[in-house]
Amino acid sequence: MLVAGVAAVGIALGLVLTNAGGGGTAAAQEVTLQPVGSTGQDPFTDSVTAQPPASAQPTAPAATVTSASGAVSGSTVGLYGGTKNVASCDVPKLAGFLAANPDKGRAWAGVEGIAPNTIDPYLRTLTPVLLRADTRVTNHGYSNGQATAYQAVLQAGTAVLVDPHGVPRVRCACGNPLLPPTNTGAPADFTGQSWATFKSQNVVVVTPAPAPITEMVLVDVHTGGTFGRPGGGTGENDTTAPPSASTSPSGPSSGPSSGPSSGPSSGPSSGPSSGPSSGPSSGPSSGPSSGPSSGPSSAPPSSPASVQSLSSPGGGSSHASAAELSPASGNGPQSPPS
């Protein structure tokens, strides 16, 4: 009897050690779902969003990504949206609050890896935008005098500030500092308040653009068109998006970067507004274009762009070409000044 009991204990212990050695299933990581208008847990500040959530939330669904991890470069055209000439976040209000509350200011600066006395100039390097896809981040609340990190998914339509490489750094509904997410390959246990369009396979992870972005090309959430916002801009200096940044569904947007950079610069780039004299950009008059009508053949759409398509807020599907989506495609700066 004693021998049988010892044997049973030994078998049970062996099973426990086998599972502990890596044979078992990894525990799921808790990831909090945060809708557009929610401040979330332990917010740093009151909302510093400069637009009402109802008008800020775009109708576009989440991005369709090509990689299993959902990684998307911060320079991807169509990843972010906004309203032309209107900033989605009140940067001076956030800077003033953190200066008036030094304990929170120190904790906030510690997350971002900066000195507390540089919060204001740092914030002015960030660009206010709206997410156009549900986005995974490391969010931070404030509790007991320190920042508390947790994994979160921010709903498309959320107002954020992004850094010069296109990575979200602040959630404006709560003033919380953000960092890139961790352990994105681990199983996730999604908690909190979900939304009707949420699908875990559509969640994106923003990776830094390989070079600083001088002008972000944003999708207008009201019109579906595009416009340019200088890095660190507040909306006052928004410009008409260059033709090379078009999100027209007709493929590689009417001959980007071949010939003069933006021939028919007056009016929409895709129309024949300038008549036959506009040469390089529209019409079949550009010599060796005997193949399909998609202008340049030097940027095949099989390039590893992170986002295949984003539906425009206006309704129809809008596709960015591989040349437009890939900042390292060798076509020069991805968004030249207008």
Side-chain angles (χ1 to χ4, degrees), residues 234-297:
T234 60
E236 296 177 359
N237 297 321
D238 289 350
T239 63
T240 300
S244 62
S246 170
T247 55
S248 167
S250 59
S253 69
S254 64
S257 37
S258 64
S261 61
S262 58
S265 61
S266 59
S269 64
S270 60
S273 59
S274 57
S277 64
S278 59
S281 173
S282 60
S285 60
S286 57
S289 65
S290 58
S293 60
S294 56
S297 59

Side-chain angles (χ1 to χ4, degrees), residues 11-120:
I11 292 171
L13 181 58
L15 291 172
V16 170
L17 292 176
T18 299
N19 287 336
T25 302
Q29 177 179 213
E30 183 174 308
V31 179
T32 303
L33 299 179
Q34 297 193 304
V36 171
S38 168
T39 57
Q41 60 200 58
D42 303 322
F44 263 79
T45 72
D46 292 334
S47 175
V48 292
T49 301
Q51 289 180 282
S55 65
Q57 184 176 355
T59 57
T64 300
V65 295
T66 59
S67 62
S69 64
V72 181
S73 171
S75 62
T76 300
V77 174
L79 178 61
Y80 297 122
T83 301
K84 190 175 181 182
N85 303 130
V86 178
S88 54
C89 299
D90 189 336
V91 169
K93 182 178 179 180
L94 177 58
F97 178 90
L98 294 174
N101 295 269
D103 290 346
K104 287 188 172 183
R106 281 190 292 271
W108 194 98
V111 172
E112 300 287 359
I114 61 175
N117 64 352
T118 64
I119 289 176
D120 182 75

Side-chain angles (χ1 to χ4, degrees), residues 147-238:
T148 55
Y150 60 95
Q151 296 302 295
V153 172
L154 308 182
Q155 184 185 7
T158 297
V160 296
L161 296 172
V162 299
D163 68 17
H165 290 267
V167 177
R169 291 295 180 180
V170 181
R171 182 170 185 255
C172 304
C174 49
N176 290 0
L178 304 175
L179 292 178
T182 60
N183 252 349
T184 54
D189 177 18
F190 295 103
T191 63
Q193 182 183 350
S194 187
W195 45 92
T197 57
F198 174 73
K199 292 182 180 179
S200 60
Q201 66 267 31
N202 288 338
V203 173
V204 304
V205 173
V206 181
T207 59
I213 304 167
T214 56
E215 182 178 64
M216 302 202 74
V217 179
L218 307 181
V219 174
D220 192 304
V221 297
H222 302 289
T223 68
T226 56
F227 63 93
R229 177 166 292 170
T234 60
E236 296 177 359
N237 297 321
D238 289 350

